[in-house]
Amino acid sequence: MAVSYKDLGLVNTREMFKRAIKGGYAIPAFNFNNLEQLQAIITASSELKSPVILQVSKGARNYANPTLLRYMAEGAVAYAKELGCAHPEIVLHLDHGDSFELCKSCVDMGFSSVMIDGSALPYEENIALTKKVVEYAHQFDVTVEAELGVLAGVEDEVASEVSHYTKPEEVVDFATRTGCDSLAISIGTSHGAYKFTPEQCTRDPKTGRLVPPPLAFDVLAEIEKQLPGFPIVLHGSSSVPQEYVDIINKFGGKLPNAVGIPEEQLRKASKSAVCKINIDSDSRLAYTAGVRETLAEHPDYFDPRQYGKVARNYMIDMYKHKITDVLGSENKLAE
Ligand code: G3H
Ligand code: 13P
Ligand code: ZN
């Protein structure tokens, strides 16, 4: 039976994006697959009074089970209230939807926002598919994110070796003809924990760490000029904190040369029309660091709560840091 997100206490992205653009900050969009990640996201965002987007990929939805997910989202709203947020602003968003059918299924099962990712399709086909999703979703006041331009790296069903920056001359036509509510763009970010090859980076002489090249802020500025006030989304925005990479590598992991987007670039983006910043890999890293460290130090542990608790605390710290020190969404609830 179909369920509306409104009955689950969720909100769509429209109002929060308006406020974020005006206020010069970005809303965190954190991916989750399981209980500990959800607990950590809700704890961090509720304690800091931040709006938040719970983001679920097709793979995550299959992993968690679509029915269970709907109740987890409803539970997240109740939990946020318990943590002291009288009016939490929580979005349940489909990340990288790859078909009309998947988007429809999410709209019908309580999502308040969906992404249709037609970025790998020819331009006209991307428009046609996005428009179809928008027409369906808007009947239920569900907001729609679309994508123009291609990110390097692997997305659930969309993979590309190389990135193609969004063409600013296409964005007005695309946004007008599709009616999408927000637009994900490509300006040099990519998915995963290896965003740049060592050859694309320089090295910090003091630390020996890789220093990635800057994002294409000139492309972002041109897009903003073409679409003033329109909500822009940045995917692939994990910063791949080296503290977690080091812990993972110290305790048996192997993540050589993992590198992300420097935080000062994300801070700069948050002040622009970029009003949604997607973070998944950093949660995976914090989680894995907590699990590896705990199990290495306590070989006798076999209760998942023993290492799950450490992993969850690492994620809470990481999410809080993003909210307060990078995206600037602390204390930004409407009431
Ligand atoms: O953009 C991709 C997200 O990080 C989700 O990844 O498809 O492995 O769940 P996933
Ligand atoms: P990261 O891999 O940089 O966390 O990107 C996540 C993302 O864009 C989800 O859509
Ligand atoms: Zn993405």
Side-chain angles (χ1 to χ4, degrees):
M1 208 184 63
V3 60
S4 164
Y5 70 87
K6 294 178 185 175
D7 295 332
L8 306 184
L10 300 163
V11 297
N12 69 22
T13 57
R14 200 164 289 125
E15 291 308 315
M16 66 171 70
F17 282 178
K18 256 190 223 160
R19 297 197 321 259
I21 295 179
K22 225 169 140 197
Y25 60 92
I27 309 292
F30 297 135
N31 289 67
F32 83 102
N33 298 267
N34 66 14
L35 176 69
E36 284 79 5
Q37 285 177 308
L38 183 58
Q39 288 173 319
I41 295 168
I42 296 302
T43 302
S45 58
S46 300
E47 287 184 10
L48 296 171
K49 305 281 185 277
S50 170
V52 75
I53 298 172
L54 297 174
Q55 202 157 251
V56 180
S57 69
K58 180 178 171 180
R61 194 166 181 249
N62 290 336
Y63 177 83
N65 177 274
T67 303
L68 192 49
L69 247 182
R70 163 218 184 294
Y71 288 96
M72 286 172 90
E74 192 172 6
V77 174
Y79 184 36
K81 288 182 181 167
E82 242 176 65
L83 290 172
C85 274
H87 302 284
E89 291 176 50
I90 301 176
V91 174
L92 180 64
H93 174 78
L94 170 67
D95 193 23
H96 295 286
D98 61 352
S99 67
F100 171 78
E101 290 69 25
L102 175 60
C103 292
K104 178 181 182 303
S105 163
C106 288
V107 170
D108 294 347
M109 284 189 76
F111 281 61
S112 56
S113 175
V114 292
M115 175 190 192
I116 176 69
D117 181 355
S119 62
L121 297 172
Y123 183 71
E124 289 296 330
E125 286 176 40
N126 187 0
I127 289 189
L129 177 60
T130 303
K131 190 166 184 278
K132 190 173 171 191
V133 171
V134 168
E135 279 168 2
Y136 185 77
H138 279 186
Q139 295 177 71
F140 306 94
D141 205 17
V142 168
T143 39
V144 179
E145 175 184 327
E147 182 166 333
L148 200 51
V150 180
L151 272 68
V154 179
E155 300 177 356
D156 216 8
E157 300 291 315
V158 188
S160 177
E161 292 273 304
V162 282
S163 76
H164 303 282
Y165 289 165
T166 305
K167 294 182 187 142
E169 63 273 21
E170 288 180 347
V171 295
V172 172
D173 182 63
F174 186 86
T176 313
R177 287 174 59 200
T178 61
C180 65
D181 300 283
S182 60
L183 185 65
I185 60 164
S186 171
I187 57 165
T189 62
S190 62
H191 292 101
Y194 298 92
K195 300 199 184 296
F196 304 96
T197 63
E199 293 71 38
Q200 290 173 303
C201 302
T202 53
R203 273 202 196 266
D204 183 326
K206 277 198 207 118
T207 60
R209 300 270 196 208
L210 293 173
V211 181
L215 300 178
F217 280 101
D218 54 332
V219 176
L220 172 59
E222 193 49 41
I223 291 169
E224 286 191 76
K225 214 164 110 188
Q226 297 291 328
L227 279 179
F230 195 82
I232 301 298
V233 178
L234 264 198
H235 282 247
S237 296
S238 277
S239 47
V240 185
Q242 295 299 302
E243 63 195 278
Y244 300 130
V245 174
D246 289 349
I247 294 173
I248 292 170
N249 287 338
K250 181 174 170 193
F251 294 106
K254 215 174 188 181
L255 299 178
N257 296 324
V259 65
I261 309 297
E263 285 186 348
E264 65 271 15
Q265 300 210 26
L266 297 168
R267 264 182 219 111
K268 184 173 165 184
S270 300
K271 294 190 171 76
S272 72
V274 170
C275 60
K276 171 174 180 273
I277 290 197
N278 287 10
I279 295 170
D280 186 356
S281 297
D282 287 355
S283 172
R284 298 175 180 194
L285 291 167
Y287 196 124
T288 302
V291 172
R292 276 199 181 276
E293 183 178 53
T294 311
L295 289 179
E297 287 177 348
H298 303 276
D300 56 321
Y301 280 7
F302 67 96
D303 180 342
R305 290 172 296 188
Q306 290 168 311
Y307 49 85
K309 210 186 296 179
V310 179
R312 197 169 62 196
N313 285 338
Y314 276 12
M315 290 188 286
I316 291 173
D317 290 348
M318 185 275 294
Y319 292 134
K320 283 187 169 177
H321 171 67
K322 300 285 177 192
I323 289 169
T324 54
D325 302 330
V326 186
L327 279 69
S329 64
E330 185 180 4
N331 288 325
K332 295 292 193 288
L333 292 175
E335 20 180 342

